[in-house]
Structures are given as structure tokens and as C-alpha cells.
Amino acid sequence: MDLFTHVDLNFTALKNLTDNLYQELHSIEPLSANCTIIPPVYSSPSTVADNPSIELSHISGFTAQTKIISSYKQFNPVAKSNAKYPFRLPGVLIVEEKHSAKLSSLIENCNIHKDNIKNAISSSKITAEKKREVIQSVVPNAITLQIYRHILPPLVNTRRISFSWCNKFSVKCFTYEKMCDYLNNSMKHPPKGVTKSEWCYFVGLELHLVQQRKRDEPIKIKRPLTPAPMANISFIDNSPSILRHAHLPFIVASDHLVKIKKLKNFTVKNTQLNKLEYMINRLYAL
């Protein structure tokens, strides 16, 4: 079976299963439904510095229930957001524990087809561009991560769900030689809107900073990534707490309400970095 057919068949099955999950959740009267709306501007793939604050809104009741159960079958970006950026809807839907088994079975089958699609694409030896073309030909404008991303089965014995922001950074280490090679190569490729002479002068200053360091000391480059909503989930029994990305809402199977700490507005906290360690200003936020 060719890759396109394999992905197409599995996505058709996934679409039917997520529709069934939607219908099943729609038929259940929840004990509680709450979710947080992150504004569309946040959905663009920008750095932390471009989003010094993120104002949130919180909804509950039937409106929240509808948004939550719709999110599990949403594979395309929300309105006015960037198609390359993953969909995020931190929220909690609490249903009676008697619904846990059927929902778990539906979700498990959804995740099987998600894995089938991901594994087929990942194991293919075609280029990244061709892989994306396969996904887009099956599901135009789809968010690939939203197709791959597992739906978490209903949580049981849940005590508390606390939402917070994870302000992440990626860190890479360079030797003196590799950093010099990196900067010398960068000098040949000025960014759009900057003349080569201006760029060479700027990169020359960076090379000068590198040359002031001891050659046997590593150089760290810290790039800020867009902040992500997280959830810390604790349990009534002795099970250890778990930390999960809050991309999709959580389903809780319980005959009692659980404590929920809502996600707060995000504000950038400026951290003074060690300038000798993190020295290339254009690659990180001071």
C-alpha cells in the first residue's frame, strides 16, 4: 500500500472515530465544563519577546462543553491563526465515572490511527516537504501536530488540575571553533533589509566577543520559544502527580468535582542572563 493511501485510510477512520467521540460526549450531561480561550494573536509562531503579555478569557457551562468536545475532531487551525502553529485549548470536562470505560475505548481507537499516520509518515524516506504534501493532500490546511497528538483518556481519582505557563528555551552548546565557523558563515548571509557591510560589521563585533573568551570554554546559545500552557495533575490516591501539555482539554471521570486552578494571563519575566555564557544578542532575549 502506498503512503498516500495508507494515510488517507487511517485519517478517514480517525475522522469517523473523532465524530463518534464528539457525539458520545455531546450526549453526556457533564458535572462541569471549563476552558481558557487564548487569543488568535498568540497563535502566530513568534518569540516570547513579541508577546510580552497574553490576555486570556475563561468560559464555562454549555459553551465551554461545546468548544471542548469540538476540539478533539479539529484538525485545521482556528480562525485568524497561523496554520503552522498547533491548536491549544486548556480546559477540563468532568463527567460521571460510569462513562469512563466507553470514552477510554473510543479514545484508544482514535490514538491508534493517529499513531498509524505518524509512524507511516515518520518512517518514510521522502523529504520533509514531500511528507507535508502527503498530509496536505489528504487534509488540506491541516495542522500536522493536531493529527499526531494523542487525546488523553479520562483521568480517574483526580484531586486537582493546576494550569500554568511553561516559558521554554532551547539551549545549544558550541566549541570555540564551531562558533567561529558559524559566525564566519553567517557573515556571508545578511538578513533581509540589512546591507552586507552593516551585517559584516555586526557579526564582526560578535566574533570579537568570542575571541575574548578562553578557547576551551563552551559557548551557550539560548533561544526563547513561545510559551506553552501546562497542567499539573494530582490524584486522590498515592499516585505521583503528572505534568502534561495543555494543548487539548482534559476529560475527568469522577462523581465529584475536582479542584481546578485556571490559567492566568501570561507576562514575560525578564531574566538577566550571564553575558559571558549567553553572548550572542540576536539569538536570545536578555
Side-chain angles (χ1 to χ4, degrees):
M1 186 185 300
D2 65 90
L3 181 60
F4 173 85
T5 304
H6 182 83
V7 172
D8 188 37
L9 288 174
N10 275 279
F11 182 77
T12 299
L14 174 61
K15 182 80 167 54
N16 291 334
L17 285 165
T18 52
D19 285 343
N20 291 341
L21 177 62
Y22 173 88
Q23 294 298 334
E24 182 64 26
L25 287 169
H26 207 310
S27 69
I28 295 172
E29 183 68 34
L31 274 66
S32 174
N34 296 272
C35 64
T36 299
I37 307 300
I38 299 175
V41 65
Y42 171 68
S43 296
S44 62
S46 54
T47 64
V48 177
D50 294 327
N51 284 316
S53 65
I54 300 171
E55 298 288 330
L56 307 175
S57 58
H58 304 279
I59 60 175
S60 60
F62 180 75
T63 305
Q65 179 191 4
T66 302
K67 285 197 75 68
I68 287 170
I69 65 178
S70 297
S71 70
Y72 302 121
K73 63 171 190 171
Q74 182 174 348
F75 303 108
N76 296 95
V78 294
K80 299 181 182 178
S81 67
N82 192 295
K84 295 182 180 179
Y85 207 71
F87 171 81
R88 287 170 175 170
L89 184 71
V92 180
L93 181 72
I94 304 177
V95 300
E96 291 178 318
E97 198 164 344
K98 65 182 180 182
H99 300 293
S100 178
K102 186 169 184 179
L103 291 175
S104 294
S105 178
L106 278 169
I107 290 171
E108 181 182 1
N109 288 329
C110 289
N111 290 336
I112 287 172
H113 290 286
K114 284 173 174 284
D115 284 339
N116 287 345
I117 295 170
K118 182 178 181 180
N119 293 337
I121 293 290
S122 300
S123 62
S124 173
K125 300 191 183 301
I126 60 178
T127 64
E129 184 179 352
K130 290 292 183 183
K131 290 177 181 179
R132 175 166 174 75
E133 285 179 8
V134 171
I135 291 287
Q136 292 298 307
S137 61
V138 174
V139 200
N141 300 317
I143 303 170
T144 303
L145 280 175
Q146 187 69 357
I147 295 175
Y148 291 172
R149 182 174 290 135
H150 275 201
I151 303 169
L152 200 66
L155 299 164
V156 295
N157 296 321
T158 310
R159 181 195 304 277
R160 181 184 178 92
I161 299 179
S162 300
F163 291 99
S164 61
W165 289 101
C166 176
N167 192 357
K168 300 185 296 181
F169 291 86
S170 82
V171 178
K172 287 187 178 181
C173 290
F174 293 81
T175 63
Y176 172 86
E177 291 78 13
K178 285 189 176 180
M179 178 52 70
C180 287
D181 289 344
Y182 173 87
L183 291 174
N184 281 317
N185 183 63
S186 177
M187 198 173 285
K188 303 172 187 175
H189 306 284
K192 187 176 180 180
V194 180
T195 66
K196 190 167 185 178
S197 59
E198 290 172 335
W199 186 245
C200 286
Y201 173 76
F202 178 73
V203 178
L205 294 177
E206 293 183 333
L207 273 169
H208 178 71
L209 287 173
V210 170
Q211 290 161 359
Q212 305 307 305
R213 295 172 56 88
K214 294 180 180 178
R215 297 198 174 196
D216 58 348
E217 290 182 353
I219 299 170
K220 297 179 183 177
I221 299 300
K222 191 171 185 178
R223 287 183 172 92
L225 303 177
T226 307
M230 305 291 292
N232 190 307
I233 305 167
S234 60
F235 301 94
I236 296 171
D237 55 19
N238 294 325
S239 301
S241 297
I242 59 174
L243 188 66
R244 290 286 185 271
H245 282 284
H247 299 306
L248 289 174
F250 300 98
I251 301 172
V252 174
S254 171
D255 293 331
H256 307 282
L257 294 176
V258 302
K259 295 180 179 178
I260 299 172
K261 180 183 177 183
K262 294 180 181 179
L263 187 66
K264 294 182 179 179
N265 293 342
F266 176 83
T267 303
V268 169
K269 296 179 181 178
N270 291 324
T271 303
Q272 187 63 33
L273 304 175
N274 183 333
K275 291 187 179 181
L276 291 178
E277 288 295 308
Y278 304 105
M279 56 188 302
I280 311 301
N281 289 327
R282 63 190 160 109
L283 297 182
Y284 68 88
L286 277 176

